Amino acid sequence: MSDQRQDRLSADDAFAALGNETRVRILRELGDVDEPLAFSALYDRLELTDSSQFNYHLEKLLGHFVHKVDGEYALARPGERVVEAIRSGAVTGDPELERTPVEGRCSDCGEELSIQWRNGSVEVFCGTCESRWDRSWGRVGSPDAAESGYLGRFPFPPAGLQNRSPEAVLRAAHVWSTLELVAVSAGLCPRCSATVDREPRVCPDHDDADGPCSTCHSSFEVRMVAVCTNCIASFGTGAVSGLLTAPALYAFLFEQGLNPLAPEAVDAVDGVLNDYEEEVHSTAPLRAEFTLSAGGEELTLLVDDDLEVVEHAR
Ligand SMILES: [Zn+2]
Ligand SMILES: [Zn+2]
Ligand SMILES: [Zn+2]
């Protein structure tokens, strides 16, 4: 089919090839159609005035981002990935979502919640729980100062804000981050599919009686941190959210009618996965016990240094 070899480019060459408005427009136009386009059809869609310039830029994309199929032009897989990244909004401007009240109540005080979108995440706030959380976890190991009332954040690409009410944005962001954590729990990076190194972090002096612990800035004594072995993605969460592929945990949730990936169940699932008892039996090697409650039932999970469930009990 294709009469062009797809060459592997260095990252520098790949970005240099994209560093021109006409080339990016060519990729976007090819992304808008379901079939390969002839030279003249593609040229007409771009509404350019100089066909030799057009030809020059098309040649720069050919072989890697664009391939020729029976004499017509179509996106090659790397070109599709570029268009997907542009459409997700992940590499372009920030969308607008100012602080907006949403249905849903703060699990601590029962007051109304509000959300905003900032730095690639939907951030959740309570108007009453002022300054309870003063740190926001971004990249692993580096909590930043947070605005007053901050409760937490869900990483969420900008395109997720389109055609959704603020309530739907919050639910979708919740499901999106659960999907990412399922991938991480299974040992793979949700951004690039390479392997992730997962490990437990135990706070040496944990005290969350009056809000997040002043030592680890978290409410969890045992956290899971995971770092991709290939890209720069990193993830941090309470340990139980890093066990989302453990059969015992899945079985428990489903028996309570809680599907962790169903938008209507996100609040209930969140309550189970983020509000549990922790008991650290030893740190080297780690033996920690987590007791979850749902529907009057309890599940206890005993995990080891690899964050594997080695024992469970009802
Ligand atoms: Zn509150
Ligand atoms: Zn702590
Ligand atoms: Zn990755």
Side-chain angles (χ1 to χ4, degrees):
M1 281 276 281
S2 169
D3 56 8
Q4 295 284 332
R5 191 166 62 91
Q6 267 186 44
D7 293 321
R8 199 177 158 80
L9 295 184
S10 71
D12 283 353
D13 289 344
F15 281 102
L18 292 173
N20 174 280
E21 191 195 338
T22 302
R23 293 177 212 163
V24 172
R25 285 186 59 207
I26 289 171
L27 296 180
R28 296 180 79 137
E29 289 295 336
L30 289 173
D32 279 342
V33 293
D34 295 333
E35 51 189 11
L37 289 179
F39 183 92
S40 58
L42 180 56
Y43 178 66
D44 288 346
R45 288 177 72 98
L46 285 160
E47 295 174 341
L48 296 171
T49 49
D50 182 344
S51 72
S52 68
Q53 274 292 311
F54 168 64
N55 191 40
Y56 169 78
H57 291 305
L58 186 55
E59 285 292 325
K60 291 284 183 194
L61 296 169
L62 211 53
H64 188 70
F65 294 107
V66 171
H67 59 181
K68 233 173 162 177
V69 181
D70 300 333
E72 298 190 316
Y73 298 88
L75 289 180
R77 190 65 196 128
E80 290 176 355
R81 293 302 301 268
V82 170
V83 175
E84 287 163 8
I86 293 170
R87 294 276 163 78
S88 79
V91 294
T92 51
D94 288 351
E96 283 290 312
L97 180 61
E98 302 280 319
R99 192 85 74 91
T100 308
V102 289
E103 279 171 32
R105 299 277 151 184
C106 171
S107 58
D108 281 319
C109 70
E111 287 301 312
E112 188 177 58
L113 296 175
S114 59
I115 63 169
Q116 72 182 21
W117 192 95
R118 195 172 67 94
N119 287 342
S121 292
V122 171
E123 297 181 326
V124 186
F125 296 87
C126 168
T128 307
C129 290
E130 223 162 287
S131 302
R132 186 170 146 80
W133 289 85
D134 56 0
R135 301 264 132 190
S136 163
W137 284 89
R139 306 272 319 260
V140 167
S142 58
D144 303 320
E147 290 167 46
S148 181
Y150 173 79
L151 296 179
R153 62 192 266 282
F154 300 104
F156 198 51
L161 302 183
Q162 292 169 19
N163 306 320
R164 286 197 173 103
S165 66
E167 282 78 18
V169 164
L170 180 57
R171 283 194 299 274
H174 218 127
V175 172
W176 182 267
S177 71
T178 303
L179 284 168
E180 290 205 326
L181 289 173
V182 169
V184 170
S185 300
L188 63 95
C189 174
R191 310 278 162 78
C192 79
S193 80
T195 55
V196 290
D197 287 333
R198 297 159 69 235
E199 61 175 58
R201 293 257 169 98
V202 183
C203 177
D205 188 20
H206 195 68
D207 179 6
D208 66 345
D210 302 311
C213 166
S214 59
T215 304
C216 67
H217 307 292
S218 166
S219 58
F220 302 106
E221 183 172 3
V222 186
R223 300 177 72 245
M224 177 206 70
V225 298
V227 179
C228 181
T229 58
N230 174 58
C231 75
I232 61 166
S234 60
F235 309 86
T237 177
V240 165
S241 293
L243 304 175
L244 276 169
T245 50
L249 175 56
Y250 252 99
F252 179 71
L253 291 172
F254 276 101
E255 274 174 36
Q256 304 305 322
L258 300 174
N259 176 352
L261 298 177
E264 62 276 12
V266 289
D267 287 338
V269 172
D270 190 51
V272 178
L273 295 181
N274 289 300
D275 189 6
Y276 52 86
E277 300 296 320
E278 299 178 277
E279 196 177 334
V280 177
H281 296 306
S282 69
T283 52
L286 178 70
R287 277 287 185 281
E289 210 174 86
F290 310 118
T291 301
L292 292 70
S293 312
E297 301 276 323
E298 284 195 341
L299 169 70
T300 298
L301 302 168
L302 181 70
V303 302
D304 65 6
D305 250 348
D306 299 320
L307 279 175
E308 299 293 337
V309 175
V310 289
E311 259 178 63
H312 69 274
R314 293 289 182 98

